Amino acid sequence: MRWRTVLLAWVVALLAVVAWAALEVVVSSGTVPVAPLVWQPPAADSVDRIEINRGRGEPLVFERTGPAWRQTKPIAVQVEPMAIRQLIDAALGLQSEGGVDFTGSDEARALGLAEGAPEVLFRAGSKEFRFALGHRISAGRAWVRMNGEPGAHRTMAALHELALSADERQWRRRALFERADVDADRVSVEALDARSDKRIALEVVRDGSVWRMERPVRTRADQEGVLRLLEALGGAAVTGFVVDNPESVAAFGLDNPVAAIEVESTQRTVNNGVVSSQKRIEGVLLGTQLLTGSPDRFAMIRGLNSVLELDGPTIASLLPDLSQLIDARASGVAVADVTGMQVVMANGKEIKLGRKGESWLLESSWVPMPQPRELPSDIPNRLLEKLCTAKASGFELGSAPEKLLMATVTLLGLDSKPAATLRISHEEIPGGKWAIDAGDGLLRVFDPQWGESLERLLAH
């Protein structure tokens, strides 16, 4: 009995193979040489809408605005331009390896091309190109019907693979920001401080070619630090896709996010020779941890109703250290642009220095002097280096106590006008630190050795 069952199974399998082979012979009796499908494909860059109907669920709809593609249905999400281009190229590259004409629905059904079959539609302006995707057959081939024509082509199954087989999330763009680059005009980060339970805001804004900090204090920004931040934001990518169209985002901590990151940019377009500009703001919200103690968190791109997963390193790149974005130099003046210095002691005594070529002259002092005299250049040069290039070891908001003020130094620029005024304070304790206030509400704190050059100057 068992042998009879095994034999029957083999017979059924053999008949299935023979029937499938016979079907291929019947429907491909009109074989023609390999050639492009009989249609006039549009230029790839002219395609502006794609619809994929897989025969299950809602169709996937992709639309192009300018150079950017977005999925608009069943959910609005960003998409990878390269993935869309691969889909278009697969359609443009289809070649017919043989064809069959049919008139009845039974023949169409045998090829998997009856009404309701999966299809892909490409629109280029007012023209539409519709591909019905039929059954796959041997050797990586499949049946394709073009624009409802009364027949089908046997082609490679490349379009089937991309449109029907792959996970639909393959289209989604994993980058969190599209324009975190040289086009960015502003970056802001608001994050909840776990220690104080208060929100801390950080904001840098581009002014021409220079970045400045607006929050938490208006001061000079570290240009390289901002560029590193933009590079990190531009490279930040989604770790995983959690759920689309959630009933509530509260379960993911996104109703009251622990952090919000924004990148504002200017998008410029040219139409008939006229350049127009439009502000664009991209935002990412950070929610709760995936697991207690895990650095990974739920996230959401503002304006897209899809919950994402971000890993620890990505989150760290989105939340920069404030100290890395502040220009740590005491002043933003270049050494070569300084033509003189005025130093006023806390007790009112004053000295003035002028630069003459490579030399420095002591032009006036509280000590009577008949005429300017030359100073050893290493003393003012060393002080100038400390004021223009040395970087602080720390920062404090506010101003130093008035009793710690030691001197006010004004740097004179090329026009002999003040380029920067710096209030210098010193802790009157052994190993006391130095602090410089440039008038921006921020103290730049320097190590005890910083003030040696200033003390040497005042000794003259």
Side-chain angles (χ1 to χ4, degrees), residues 28 30-38 95-99 153-154:
S28 61
T31 300
V32 295
V34 174
L37 288 182
V38 183
Q95 292 181 319
S96 177
E97 299 180 352
H153 296 272
R154 187 176 63 220

Side-chain angles (χ1 to χ4, degrees), residues 391-396 400-401 403-407 423-437 443-452 454-455:
K391 293 189 175 183
S393 58
F395 306 94
E396 292 182 13
K403 64 180 182 179
L404 299 183
L405 179 65
M406 181 175 182
R423 290 168 54 86
I424 302 175
S425 303
H426 184 220
E427 295 176 326
E428 296 178 346
I429 57 175
K433 293 184 178 181
W434 297 77
I436 298 182
D437 181 355
L443 284 177
R444 289 165 170 85
V445 181
F446 295 83
D447 294 333
Q449 298 78 16
W450 181 91
E452 178 186 358
L454 177 61
E455 293 172 329

Side-chain angles (χ1 to χ4, degrees), residues 30 51 59 73 109 130 141 157 163 183 191 211 245 286 324 338 350 359 363 375-376 380 416:
E51 296 182 21
K73 293 181 180 180
R109 188 177 298 108
R130 192 179 299 271
R141 270 65 174 175
D183 291 323
W211 287 87
N245 291 323
L286 298 183
Q324 296 176 0
V338 178
E350 179 181 353
S359 303
E363 297 178 350
L375 281 176
S416 296

